[in-house]
Amino acid sequence: MDSYDDRGVGGGGERVADPDPRTVPGPRTGPGPRSGPEPREGSAGPGGTDRPEALRAGMAGLSFPYQIAAAVALSVIGVIGCVQLAMVFLHVAPSNTLTKQHGEAVDEWVYPEFEQNWKLFAPNPLQQNVAVQARAEIAGPDGRRTTSWTNLSGQDGQAIRGNLLPSHVQQNELRRAWDFYVGSHDAQNRANGLRGTLSEQYIRRIVMLRLGEHDHGDSILRIQVRSEVRAVAAPAWSDEKISTAPSYRVLPWWTVTGADLPEGTADSEKADQ
């Protein structure tokens, strides 16, 4: 007797033909059947992203005339930015061939909207060594006498040398005070208005404060200040010849008053009386 496998299970005892393996669908590996209609092309998919529209974002999504206009606008902005950077660089850079030939064009571009108050490499490269010196005329039992010149700048230099944390006073007080005085006086040491008078008072107080640290044992009647300027020597590898001989700017004698002395000292009390 034939088995069920040989005869099949079709009705009427007829044998059911084996299915064609090419027509049998494979096993389903994806998610289950969808309950809604299939998404149309151009509509948002399962992730909520309209993929065809996302691919057309940016300039590619514009029409051809607008793409040309956008490209031209970006090119103009890029060129203006490059010109701006070049002009500002030439304006703040040290003097060179380009600035000598086209300095007027650079200034016309920069001023007044893009004026720069700083230099790119150094605001004022050091070319001279300036030392401020002072001496005093003092009154003692043997009469008046004049002290030798005291190098105040040298004292500041010694205090700074080897000091990991030098004070602002040691670094800048005397130097800035002298620059203030020179900038507010002419070559004949005449003050240019109120700033000149103020700078003179400032110098006198600093000098009296520094000289007061040296116990001369007598009262200071007058003080005199001068500057010693020496050019910075050329490096050893240079053939440049630079004279390092000192030049002096000597100020007139100043009579010491109570306003020039630190408050609370014996000399200030005598001067006030």
Side-chain angles (χ1 to χ4, degrees), residues 178-241:
W178 182 254
D179 291 341
F180 183 24
Y181 179 88
V182 173
S184 57
H185 286 72
D186 57 18
Q188 287 72 36
N189 297 316
R190 291 177 299 198
N192 300 326
L194 297 177
R195 288 178 58 85
T197 304
L198 181 62
S199 65
E200 180 179 325
Q201 294 174 351
Y202 190 33
I203 282 287
R204 293 170 65 161
R205 292 180 180 180
I206 292 176
V207 171
M208 287 301 300
L209 184 63
R210 301 293 182 90
L211 293 180
E213 298 175 356
H214 302 272
D215 187 11
H216 295 289
D218 301 312
S219 299
I220 299 177
L221 302 178
R222 297 193 303 170
I223 58 174
Q224 189 176 29
V225 183
R226 73 176 184 181
S227 65
E228 181 184 277
V229 181
R230 294 177 182 268
V232 176
W237 47 262
S238 176
D239 296 332
E240 187 178 4
K241 304 298 181 182

Side-chain angles (χ1 to χ4, degrees), residues 95-206:
S95 179
N96 53 71
T97 304
L98 289 177
T99 56
K100 291 178 180 178
Q101 294 180 353
H102 308 288
E104 294 183 0
V106 173
D107 292 340
E108 290 178 357
W109 179 278
V110 171
Y111 292 109
E113 289 83 3
F114 308 108
E115 180 180 0
Q116 303 292 321
N117 293 322
W118 51 273
K119 298 298 182 181
L120 181 62
F121 298 101
N124 187 15
L126 181 63
Q127 299 179 353
Q128 295 176 330
N129 289 321
V130 181
V132 180
Q133 304 172 354
R135 64 178 179 177
E137 183 181 285
I138 59 178
D142 300 332
R144 295 188 177 185
R145 64 185 181 90
T146 302
T147 65
S148 58
W149 289 101
T150 301
N151 190 351
L152 305 180
S153 298
Q155 294 175 355
D156 288 347
Q158 292 178 358
I160 294 172
R161 191 174 295 110
N163 188 353
L164 297 179
L165 298 173
S167 68
H168 177 75
V169 173
Q170 294 169 341
Q171 298 179 80
N172 300 314
E173 181 185 54
L174 182 60
R175 178 180 61 85
R176 296 292 299 272
W178 182 254
D179 291 341
F180 183 24
Y181 179 88
V182 173
S184 57
H185 286 72
D186 57 18
Q188 287 72 36
N189 297 316
R190 291 177 299 198
N192 300 326
L194 297 177
R195 288 178 58 85
T197 304
L198 181 62
S199 65
E200 180 179 325
Q201 294 174 351
Y202 190 33
I203 282 287
R204 293 170 65 161
R205 292 180 180 180
I206 292 176

